[in-house]
Amino acid sequence: MKILNYIKGKFNEPISSEWMDNFSPSTGKVIGSIPLSGDADVISAIAAAKGALPEWSSLDPSDRALWLDKIADCLEEKFEEIAHLESMDTGKPISLARSVDARRSVSNFRFFSEMIRDREEEVFEMEDATNIVKLRAVGVGALITPWNLPLYLLSWKVAPAIGMGNTVVCKPSELTPLTADLLMRVIDEVGLPPGVVNLVHGNGNAGSVLTGNPDVDLVSFTGGTSTGSKVAMSASPQFKKLSLELGGKNSSIVFSDCNLEETVKGVTRAAFLNQGQVCLCGSRILVEESIYDQFMDMFVESVESMVIGDPMDEDTDLGALISKQHLEKVESYVSLALEEGGQIVTGGKPCLPKELEGGNWMSPTVVTGLGTESRCSTEEVFGPFVTVHRFNSEEDAIKIANNTRYGLAGSIWTGDLERGRRVAESIHTGMIWVNTWLHRDLRVPFGGIKDSGVGREGGKWSLGFFSEPLNVCLKHD
Ligand code: NAD
């Protein structure tokens, strides 16, 4: 499968004439090739976006909302194709690709269409004047996305960005180009004006050309913390509007008064959804001493009951990791856990049919006996690897949970909602769930603090980020 760039309403081969392979995570085989875009490709995409900006940004928001509806309708018709491509490209189970990726990609466009249509202009009256706050487009946006939730995250940025009148250049992860290409086919099919959405494939070099270009006014980046820091260094000196959604090391805190059965289910899901490759995954599990043994028995049983195998199989709970390189990174943490004095309670290599042997496979791994300061317990691993720790008091749990450079998310499991809320408010993160995990309302702010990022997207925060407010003050006669 050969994929092309999409610039000014046309699918183009790269000017660079260079290509890179796209590999299947579950078999290790090449499934296609994508442009390895060079500077000229990126510059031509930026020029297309700049050219389309005046007309697109001057449309009435309700007209732009109609375009979002058309894209949502067309994506919905391709629901099964989205799920199939996403599963093939990322190695995630098809059931997950349907329930999370395909569903959210459609609902992101629907949600922002409604928000943009319903938005009312803010007005602040003074005794002798009226202030109107007008939200205008920022300009050309660079939207850079990772491989773990490819279309889910790309649509999360494209919908509010173009909805607020910006034009964009997308740079999806080189590891998962297929659904980004599908979105471009959809955009082409509905006939969105050329240049409003452009897309270049390629590696980090294409991303860095994009973030450093003076004609790009805004950068919305989701990815690793170290890349985020490079993006900030490139974009900040030019005062571009910048949103960074970065890594996480999130705690699941289990109190002794929780509903243990529901908690074990929830904590297992939080730990291993998408093979643990979700920035929100609860990869450090803190359990109150008095129920530790009982929790561990039930948790290990729950982890070992997960079905690992062919992502296209409807019964599969866990698929493959994204790449050989990433598998090696996650495996290196298993070795590190042993060096740091931990015990591997469950894990190893799964037993798989021959056709999957070339893929990037790892069984869900649970480590105990590590210090809460250990590298395994404080660094982002981003795979099917969790550490479990004991705690004795609320204060103890809060202290451990806050002992990491990240501050993205977390979950608290307790029968006492008052305590849940109290502890939640003491954890230094952007988001925290009580007795649930990844329970998303698209109106709420999404993002993290510390090394997990800068700024928020979601609901009115997305509309704010993808626009510039203009205050018009009208003095009364
Ligand atoms: P990554 O940082 O390696 O890559 C992300 C994107 O940035 C890719 O498209 C890549 O090509 C591009 N890129 C690489 N170098 C660049 C540069 N110098 N300038 C501009 N762009 C560049 O991340 P990844 O491995 O694809 O994704 C995994 C990471 O993403 C994890 O750390 C995870 O926690 C994080 N993540 C965060 C969120 C969130 O909302 N906070 C969501 C999903 C994933």
Side-chain angles (χ1 to χ4, degrees), residues 10 20 64 71 127 140 152 181 183 202 206 213 218-219 238 252 313 322 338 341 358 360 369 379 398 418 430 467:
K10 296 232 166 356
M20 60 194 295
R64 289 195 298 262
I71 296 171
E127 251 177 42
V140 173
Y152 177 116
D181 178 62
L183 179 62
N213 189 292
L218 158 162
V219 177
Q238 299 177 42
S252 299
D313 192 325
I322 189 67
L338 294 171
N360 317 314
E379 294 177 9
I398 292 167
E418 197 42 53
S467 65

Side-chain angles (χ1 to χ4, degrees), residues 6-302:
Y6 186 68
I7 299 174
K8 209 174 176 182
K10 296 232 166 356
F11 288 94
N12 302 308
E13 299 225 344
I15 302 166
S16 69
S17 302
E18 290 191 72
W19 299 85
M20 60 194 295
D21 287 334
N22 180 23
F23 295 91
S24 156
S26 60
T27 64
K29 293 192 177 134
V30 174
I31 52 173
S33 59
I34 65 165
L36 178 55
S37 299
D39 295 20
D41 296 291
V42 180
I43 289 166
S44 125
I46 296 169
K50 202 175 169 189
L53 186 65
E55 202 170 324
W56 181 252
S57 59
S58 63
L59 282 184
D60 191 82
S62 62
D63 290 332
R64 289 195 298 262
L66 281 176
W67 282 109
L68 299 190
D69 288 337
K70 283 187 200 171
I71 296 171
D73 291 344
C74 191
L75 279 174
E76 198 153 30
E77 282 166 22
K78 298 188 189 327
F79 188 92
E80 201 49 41
E81 192 188 351
I82 299 174
H84 183 86
L85 290 178
E86 210 67 293
S87 174
M88 185 162 85
D89 217 10
T90 61
K92 71 177 66 185
I94 183 82
S95 56
L96 183 68
R98 269 193 209 105
S99 62
V100 173
D101 302 75
R103 200 165 64 84
R104 254 302 282 284
S105 305
V106 175
S107 61
N108 282 340
F109 279 97
R110 292 225 188 283
F111 170 75
F112 282 113
S113 151
E114 253 174 62
M115 273 211 88
I116 284 157
R117 194 175 286 116
D118 295 348
R119 197 178 61 79
E120 282 175 14
E121 215 155 60
E122 276 187 302
V123 176
F124 298 92
E125 294 291 354
M126 300 167 78
E127 251 177 42
D128 58 349
T130 298
N131 283 286
I132 298 164
V133 181
K134 189 153 181 60
L135 296 189
R136 299 192 293 191
V138 183
V140 173
L143 311 181
I144 304 177
T145 47
W147 47 260
N148 63 333
L149 293 159
L151 190 56
Y152 177 116
L153 290 172
L154 187 59
S155 53
W156 180 240
K157 296 183 191 298
V158 171
I162 64 170
M164 294 308 283
N166 306 281
T167 55
V168 298
V169 180
C170 312
K171 213 304 278 169
S173 168
E174 58 273 38
L175 301 177
T176 52
L178 297 185
T179 51
D181 178 62
L182 178 141
L183 179 62
M184 295 309 109
R185 285 190 274 123
V186 162
I187 279 169
D188 201 56
E189 199 175 318
V190 302
L192 192 75
V196 173
V197 176
N198 307 276
L199 185 141
V200 286
H201 292 283
N203 60 17
N205 178 56
S208 67
V209 175
L210 201 46
T211 58
N213 189 292
D215 284 335
V216 168
D217 306 289
L218 158 162
V219 177
S220 172
F221 171 85
T222 301
T225 295
S226 58
T227 318
S229 155
K230 288 184 201 152
V231 168
M233 280 193 268
S234 150
S236 300
Q238 299 177 42
F239 309 109
K240 295 179 197 291
K241 234 181 153 181
L242 184 62
S243 162
L244 298 171
E245 303 283 0
L246 310 176
K249 184 74 175 180
N250 315 296
S251 297
S252 299
I253 306 176
V254 180
F255 284 101
S256 59
D257 61 357
C258 69
N259 174 332
L260 201 50
E261 215 167 292
E262 288 304 314
T263 299
V264 167
K265 269 194 228 159
V267 170
T268 308
R269 178 170 166 267
F272 296 113
L273 191 86
N274 203 29
Q275 298 76 250
Q277 302 169 131
V278 178
C279 54
L280 308 166
C281 272
S283 54
R284 53 209 310 257
I285 302 169
L286 317 182
V287 185
E288 194 161 7
E289 177 73 57
S290 57
I291 57 157
Y292 181 88
D293 291 340
Q294 199 188 353
F295 173 87
M296 279 307 286
D297 287 348
M298 291 170 71
F299 179 58
V300 172
E301 193 185 330
S302 160

Side-chain angles (χ1 to χ4, degrees), residues 147 271-278 281 283 303 306 308 318-322 326-327 329-331 333-334 344 346-348 350 360-367 381-387:
W147 47 260
F272 296 113
L273 191 86
N274 203 29
Q275 298 76 250
Q277 302 169 131
V278 178
C281 272
S283 54
V303 172
M306 282 190 289
I308 179 163
L318 287 181
L321 272 66
I322 189 67
H326 189 56
L327 174 66
K329 176 194 156 186
V330 180
E331 284 175 339
Y333 275 92
V334 179
I344 314 289
T346 183
N360 317 314
W361 296 97
M362 178 172 167
S363 294
T365 301
V366 178
V367 180
V381 179
F382 213 59
F385 175 96
V386 296
T387 60

